[in-house]
Amino acid sequence: WAAKQRNLFWKDDLSLWSDVVKKSPFKARPHNNLAVAYNEKDLMEQAIAEAVIALRLRQNYASPFISLGNAYFKKGAFDMAIMSFKKALSIKSDYPDAYFSMGLTYAKKNDMDPAIEAFKKAIELRPYDVTARVNLAAAYGSKGLTDTAIAELRQAMTIKPDSPDIHYNLGVAFEGKGLLFNALSEYKTVLLLSPDDREALDKYHEIRKKLKMSL
């Protein structure tokens, strides 16, 4: 019964880690986990404050730098975010989350070469990370390397064939190459997997219209 009451109290991670921090204020990990929870709620200032506390309590702790970087990313302070991710990697060089988040930040800055390198490093450390592969493919596509993007997405599909994101991005890549029937097939697959995907639905109808006009 007591455990049940605790579960009712912990409505979400923010409630849980706020409670833990109150009971263990001098432990770094709860403060960082609270920072993560704040980031998930888009409460960036609070996330930064908790990450800083975690770093004060425990030096050479990589995870709070990820929390700091993610908060700065959400605030649009991309250079500060990259500095934070690099600091995390200076402590823990094999940290795939740091490389992945750094890749997202470089991509947001439209700086695709370092984004690609960061995503590739994240995949090297965590080969089954489909999200990193999809973002790597998107970065290749942004540079006009469509065939390379398609190859990366096909590799991702061997890991997770039922991912709507993979099929959607394949549709975009095929559309960019003018392979409209291939694109249509991919958007149709997205709608089978995720019927409420409005973007895929719009793309599907758009391609069908183009194909009818070309006949």
Side-chain angles (χ1 to χ4, degrees), residues 5-200:
Q5 295 304 306
R6 294 286 291 181
N7 290 336
L8 289 172
F9 176 74
W10 292 337
K11 295 177 182 178
D12 53 26
D13 285 346
L14 186 56
S15 297
L16 188 157
W17 292 111
S18 295
D19 184 45
V20 175
V21 163
K22 287 178 183 178
K23 293 175 170 59
S24 303
F26 301 113
K27 291 183 178 180
R29 182 171 171 270
H31 283 284
N32 179 61
N33 288 345
L34 182 54
V36 172
Y38 277 130
N39 266 330
E40 289 174 352
K41 298 286 187 181
D42 291 331
L43 299 170
M44 286 81 78
E45 296 301 333
Q46 293 93 322
I48 290 169
E50 290 299 326
V52 168
I53 292 171
L55 289 168
R56 287 174 181 167
L57 291 169
R58 179 176 161 190
Q59 295 181 349
N60 293 323
Y61 184 15
S63 294
F65 283 108
I66 302 293
S67 298
L68 277 176
N70 289 336
Y72 287 135
F73 177 87
K74 286 173 176 280
K75 285 168 63 70
F78 300 132
D79 290 336
M80 293 181 71
I82 289 168
M83 284 175 51
S84 297
F85 299 136
K86 286 183 176 180
K87 184 63 178 176
L89 289 167
S90 73
I91 297 168
K92 183 176 171 59
S93 61
D94 60 345
Y95 203 158
D97 290 341
Y99 283 109
F100 175 75
S101 295
M102 192 159 61
L104 288 180
T105 310
Y106 277 123
K108 196 71 172 179
K109 291 182 66 179
N110 202 32
D111 198 353
M112 292 303 167
D113 287 334
I116 286 169
E117 291 307 310
F119 288 134
K120 286 169 68 175
K121 188 64 178 178
I123 292 165
E124 179 185 324
L125 293 166
R126 195 160 53 198
Y128 296 101
D129 189 338
V130 169
T131 305
R133 290 186 180 275
V134 170
N135 278 278
L136 175 58
Y140 282 134
S142 296
K143 285 178 63 68
L145 302 170
T146 309
D147 289 335
T148 308
I150 290 170
E152 192 62 46
L153 289 167
R154 283 177 167 157
Q155 180 64 31
M157 195 179 293
T158 65
I159 301 168
K160 192 174 182 182
D162 59 347
S163 167
D165 287 340
I166 297 173
H167 288 284
Y168 182 87
N169 281 278
L170 267 174
V172 171
F174 284 135
E175 191 176 351
K177 286 180 67 68
L179 301 172
L180 298 187
F181 283 104
N182 299 68
L184 186 68
S185 176
E186 294 301 332
Y187 295 137
K188 184 177 181 180
T189 301
V190 175
L191 292 170
L192 290 172
L193 294 168
S194 181
D196 296 329
D197 192 318
R198 187 69 203 180
E199 289 183 37

